[in-house]
Amino acid sequence: MSQDSSVYARYLIGRVSHKMFWAQQKEMAQHHITPRQAYVLFVLANLGHTATLTELSKYTERGVSNISIQLTRMEKDGLVKKTRETPKSALLKFELTEKGSNLEKRCNIKTSDKTIMSVLSEEERQQLISMMNKLRNKAIKYKGS
């Protein structure tokens, strides 16, 4: 690997992210949803079971068009319901259906995440969170410049 510790650290972050996503995918397959769908259900549940496309886009860090496509599929699966703020309003709100809410509760217990993270002590996890937030904030500033 690279002699540059910055490059190697970025490589490891990518590999860990990929492996954890794969583990989540395997775990969510038993519920017949993807990790991204499970995350949208989680976000909706934590926003009071209803949110706009813009809110969901912000919290999932995905584009409005991408989240719209995702929500259309989830609506077809009966996980979310689309409503308008008022009958002729362009403002769409999405809310969890009973099926979506039940599924979110079952998927909220992410065994893979807890098992993988269990190799770190609580103190190490807090340090990791702090370091990852620093990296994320720097990346956000870098992107903006």
Side-chain angles (χ1 to χ4, degrees):
M1 284 311 307
S2 174
Q3 298 297 316
D4 184 338
S5 63
S6 295
V7 172
Y8 185 61
R10 174 62 184 101
Y11 165 79
L12 286 175
I13 289 168
R15 296 298 297 164
V16 169
S17 177
H18 178 76
K19 295 297 183 188
M20 289 184 76
F21 184 81
W22 179 83
Q24 276 188 344
Q25 211 168 16
K26 185 177 176 183
E27 186 176 8
M28 293 300 118
Q30 66 185 328
H31 301 293
H32 308 290
I33 64 169
T34 67
R36 286 189 175 179
Q37 288 174 322
Y39 187 62
V40 169
L41 293 176
F42 171 79
V43 170
L44 269 170
N46 285 280
L47 289 176
H49 292 262
T50 182
T52 64
L53 275 173
T54 305
E55 289 172 319
L56 289 167
S57 175
K58 174 186 168 188
Y59 287 105
T60 60
E61 295 188 0
R62 297 179 63 211
V64 171
S65 62
N66 288 337
I67 200 73
S68 177
I69 292 166
Q70 176 103 52
L71 287 165
T72 299
R73 289 184 190 132
M74 292 174 72
E75 185 178 26
K76 286 178 184 173
D77 292 338
L79 302 174
V80 298
K81 178 182 170 189
K82 176 174 43 177
T83 58
R84 295 194 181 276
E85 188 70 23
T86 59
K88 292 186 179 185
S89 171
L91 183 62
L92 297 174
K93 287 205 170 229
F94 291 85
E95 59 185 281
L96 285 177
T97 61
E98 185 176 341
K99 179 181 178 182
S101 183
N102 291 336
L103 189 55
E104 188 277 329
K105 288 174 186 156
R106 288 197 316 268
C107 293
N108 198 8
I109 304 166
K110 293 192 173 94
T111 306
S112 62
D113 288 350
K114 290 179 181 180
T115 301
I116 293 166
M117 293 299 241
S118 72
V119 300
L120 301 175
S121 69
E122 181 60 31
E123 183 180 339
E124 289 171 321
R125 283 193 296 272
Q126 292 304 319
Q127 289 172 351
L128 176 63
I129 290 167
S130 176
M131 289 185 277
M132 296 304 285
N133 277 325
K134 283 182 184 179
L135 291 171
R136 185 196 69 210
N137 292 338
K138 183 65 173 183
I140 289 168
K141 286 179 185 174
Y142 184 82
K143 181 182 173 190
S145 61

